[in-house]
Amino acid sequence: MDAARLQFMTEGECVMSFFSTRGGSCVTASQAILRGLAPDGGLYVPAMFPQVSPEKIVSLSQLPYARRASEILRLFLEDFSPAEIEAAVTAAYGGDRFDDPAVAPLKPLDENTWILELFHGPTLAFKDMALQLLPHLTTLSARKNGENREVSILVATSGDTGKAALEGFRDVPGTSCTVFYPLDGVSDVQRLQMVTTGGNNTHVIAVKGNFDDAQTGVKELFSSPDFAAEMNARGKVLSSANSINFGRLVPQVVYYFSAYADLVARRAIVCGDPVNFCVPTGNFGNILAAYYAHQMGLPIGRLICASNRNKVLTDFFASGTYSTHRIFFKTMSPSMDILVSSNLERLLFEAADRDGELVKTWMRTLKECGSYSVGDQRREWLESLFWGGCADDIATLDEIGRRFRENRYLMDTHTAVASSVLREYRQTKQDGTPTVLVSTASPYKFARDVLTGIAGAGVSEGLDPFACSAELEKRSGVPMPDQVRRLKDLPIRHKAECEIEGMGEAVLREFDR
Ligand SMILES: *Cc1c(COP(=O)(O)O)cnc(C)c1O
């Protein structure tokens, strides 16, 4: 046991340790954050879910976002002092890095629906909510564990995580950040945002494959002793900023409490009333944070899991079988183009009554046979809280147009997938529970498709990404964010590409350059 942990125990602090979903290890919060993935290949989960009382939830509504964050974070980060947490959340959320003072504003959409806007950070997607904070948690964790090597963050991105991680870690002393993105799998704006990143510790590499290839490649590097040795020889140690890292997950729990507290403050609900959340889902990180909030006592009626045409999760919730035997589609919601949703493993761990051996068996079957089944009883248990639905590109465009016409709200393609699924859910289930639609990106990140959604396909034809954004601004009246406007003038700084098999060498090449 390390000194920091011992000190907290002798001070009588509650020690909340973390286990692997596959049964192994017991580590502190800072160790879980530093390591990212457990040595047995599992994901770190908290030993228990701390409870938040209704009174506490009401009291949150009086606080600014940064304070809400520190109240929730301290429940999980057992070996961080309150002062450390306070400083970290103030640096992440307290300044002007978010362009809305509420950080995660909740806006009315129609009479029974609110929209939680999570895209007001520097890279215009919800990943900023966690990745503006994670570098602070990472450097604190390194210090607590006597880690003197450079913490080298390795990220696989389906588009938005990459830029958010690069912005979070850019020029943070003692760290570097290397991002792999699928060569033809991200939007124009997403790619430009990444390859124009400044900073002396940032690397961006295009992989000739899809997101699952990139994610699998990164996971393999994490579990390769040879690669660890190569890194160690260079004075570096690997860490992860993907949503498998608990440090990514815990900041996301905050905004579910925050949204609920805002509804209470507006008297839209009374504390204790159930609220549904509808979440556009890819790697299952965002909606898993909602599940964690539910486990901590947040009154959630149902969690609606929205997928695009890659509807592996929709089928899983309907059948209890997770199967990757299917075609991978490239859609206009690329951040959800995923067949292996890593964070589902954390939900499976709960569905398995925290039986790590069972999770291990499912994960092995998935790797060897491409599918596993959880059985009827566990499927029914999942069904009591979750509902899965999907929307293809045509439904997505329809929804963008309809919300713009009917509600004067301009939504991005990912949010539109969720909005369309919510419509279907309400029709199917006749459920009138107030619902929060989680909005994950600025419409300007996907300007071409959003423009098509409100004005038809002909309008964007022949326009470059910048002209699309300008046209979208003209037609919608929603101001273009500065980050998009500035992109045009930034030089391309990252041009590396690699094969799926060559990811490790590509990283070392970047470091040795
Ligand atoms: C990452 C992302 C998602 C999917 O979130 P998960 O946590 O991976 O389920 C949805 N929309 C946008 C815009 C994203 O960037």
Side-chain angles (χ1 to χ4, degrees):
M1 185 168 297
D2 61 53
R5 169 112 175 263
L6 202 60
Q7 181 198 338
F8 274 94
M9 285 184 75
T10 52
E11 282 175 15
E13 291 272 329
C14 149
V15 171
M16 176 191 270
S17 303
F18 288 77
F19 302 127
S20 161
T21 47
R22 302 194 189 172
S25 45
C26 173
V27 299
T28 61
S30 67
Q31 289 165 341
I33 290 169
L34 209 49
R35 289 184 193 168
L37 205 62
D40 61 4
L43 277 55
Y44 286 115
V45 287
M48 47 138 194
F49 291 106
Q51 295 302 300
V52 180
S53 69
E55 296 72 35
K56 183 84 191 178
I57 295 173
V58 172
S59 76
L60 289 180
S61 62
Q62 309 303 320
L63 303 177
Y65 191 85
R67 293 279 310 283
R68 294 177 185 181
S70 70
E71 291 296 321
I72 299 297
L73 287 168
R74 63 198 295 173
L75 301 174
F76 285 103
L77 304 181
E78 94 260 11
D79 59 343
F80 291 68
S81 73
E84 286 172 333
I85 293 173
E86 197 69 39
V89 297
T90 304
Y93 307 120
D96 57 1
R97 307 205 37 103
F98 287 78
D99 69 12
D100 189 303
V103 181
L106 186 73
K107 299 183 177 168
L109 187 60
D110 60 36
E111 69 211 47
N112 212 15
T113 314
W114 285 262
I115 188 149
L116 176 62
E117 293 185 347
L118 300 178
F119 54 77
H120 289 279
T123 76
L124 308 173
F126 93 94
K127 307 295 196 293
D128 289 325
M129 299 302 298
L131 281 163
Q132 282 296 304
L133 182 66
L134 183 67
H136 300 286
L137 301 182
T138 303
T139 46
L140 281 166
S141 298
R143 209 178 311 147
K144 283 178 195 301
N145 290 282
E147 180 57 74
N148 296 318
R149 293 171 288 183
E150 175 196 282
V151 179
S152 305
I153 302 292
L154 224 52
V155 175
T157 185
S158 56
D160 293 325
T161 300
K163 180 58 176 178
L166 290 163
E167 280 308 310
F169 283 95
R170 184 172 84 168
D171 291 331
V172 173
T175 73
S176 69
C177 184
T178 306
V179 168
F180 288 102
Y181 72 92
L183 185 57
D184 297 314
V186 299
S187 83
D188 295 332
V189 171
Q190 286 178 320
R191 186 177 42 78
L192 282 169
Q193 279 186 312
M194 288 190 277
V195 298
T196 56
T197 304
N200 291 320
N201 63 342
T202 56
H203 309 277
V204 182
I205 304 166
V207 185
K208 296 175 184 163
N210 62 32
F211 170 70
D212 286 316
D213 298 323
Q215 174 158 265
T216 306
V218 165
K219 277 189 185 167
E220 275 165 13
L221 292 180
F222 271 101
S223 54
S224 159
D226 290 346
F227 190 68
E230 288 278 4
M231 294 292 282
N232 189 44
R234 289 166 174 78
K236 299 175 196 290
V237 60
L238 282 181
S239 187
S240 168
N242 275 110
S243 58
I244 51 168
N245 191 319
F246 189 77
R248 272 282 301 278
L249 197 53
V250 62
Q252 296 177 178
V253 175
V254 175
Y255 50 73
Y256 289 99
F257 280 95
S258 176
Y260 192 94
D262 281 342
L263 285 173
V264 173
R266 289 179 199 185
R267 301 183 195 283
I269 57 167
V270 176
C271 189
D273 289 350
V275 169
N276 293 347
F277 286 91
C278 180
V279 187
T281 298
N283 223 0
F284 210 76
N286 200 352
I287 195 167
L288 184 84
Y291 172 74
Y292 276 24
H294 171 264
Q295 294 304 94
M296 294 164 72
L298 191 67
I300 292 177
R302 203 169 280 275
L303 291 174
I304 300 157
C305 174
S307 301
N308 63 24
R309 197 175 171 199
N310 296 296
K311 59 186 188 65
V312 58
L313 288 164
T314 313
D315 295 343
F316 171 68
F317 285 116
S319 70
T321 297
Y322 193 98
S323 171
T324 56
H325 292 294
R326 57 181 77 223
I327 300 169
F328 178 92
F329 296 108
K330 272 198 257 178
T331 73
M332 53 180 66
S333 43
S335 301
M336 298 156 67
D337 287 346
I338 293 174
L339 293 185
V340 184
S341 296
S342 301
N343 266 297
L344 187 66
E345 184 167 339
R346 286 188 165 110
L347 181 63
L348 290 174
F349 183 66
E350 307 302 329
D353 293 322
R354 308 204 131 203
D355 177 352
E357 284 304 313
L358 186 52
V359 174
K360 206 187 278 180
T361 310
W362 286 333
M363 290 301 115
R364 197 176 47 233
T365 320
L366 180 66
K367 194 164 181 191
E368 288 167 6
C369 316
S371 77
Y372 60 85
S373 295
V374 297
D376 277 344
Q377 227 177 335
R378 294 200 165 85
R379 183 188 59 77
E380 279 163 29
W381 178 83
L382 289 167
E383 214 174 34
S384 65
L385 184 61
F386 288 90
W387 191 85
C390 59
D392 63 11
D393 282 353
I394 292 171
T396 304
L397 289 178
D398 270 0
E399 188 67 21
I400 291 171
R402 189 161 167 182
R403 284 297 189 188
F404 187 65
R405 282 192 315 275
E406 292 180 5
N407 308 101
R408 300 315 287 175
Y409 190 88
L410 189 70
M411 54 178 54
D412 98 288
T413 48
H414 303 74
T415 310
V417 166
S419 185
S420 172
V421 167
L422 175 59
R423 218 177 271 287
E424 186 200 344
Y425 170 78
R426 281 177 167 159
Q427 258 155 25
T428 312
K429 290 283 186 180
Q430 298 293 317
D431 180 354
T433 308
T435 300
V436 173
L437 180 63
V438 176
S439 176
T440 48
S442 157
Y444 283 94
K445 264 197 125 154
F446 307 93
R448 182 180 306 277
D449 293 324
V450 174
L451 182 59
T452 302
I454 66 165
V459 180
S460 65
E461 228 165 89
L463 299 185
D464 72 16
F466 305 108
C468 282
S469 295
E471 189 64 25
L472 184 60
E473 183 172 48
K474 205 167 85 196
R475 287 181 184 248
S476 71
V478 175
M480 188 192 309
D482 280 345
Q483 295 97 313
V484 174
R485 206 182 300 280
R486 282 196 305 261
L487 265 185
K488 194 163 36 185
D489 305 319
L490 297 176
I492 308 274
R493 297 190 61 236
H494 305 275
K495 293 180 182 155
E497 291 181 7
C498 75
E499 305 290 336
I500 298 165
E501 304 75 35
M503 288 170 59
E505 283 149 45
V507 176
L508 299 178
R509 251 197 324 272
E510 286 286 312
F511 286 145
D512 295 343
R513 216 162 38 155

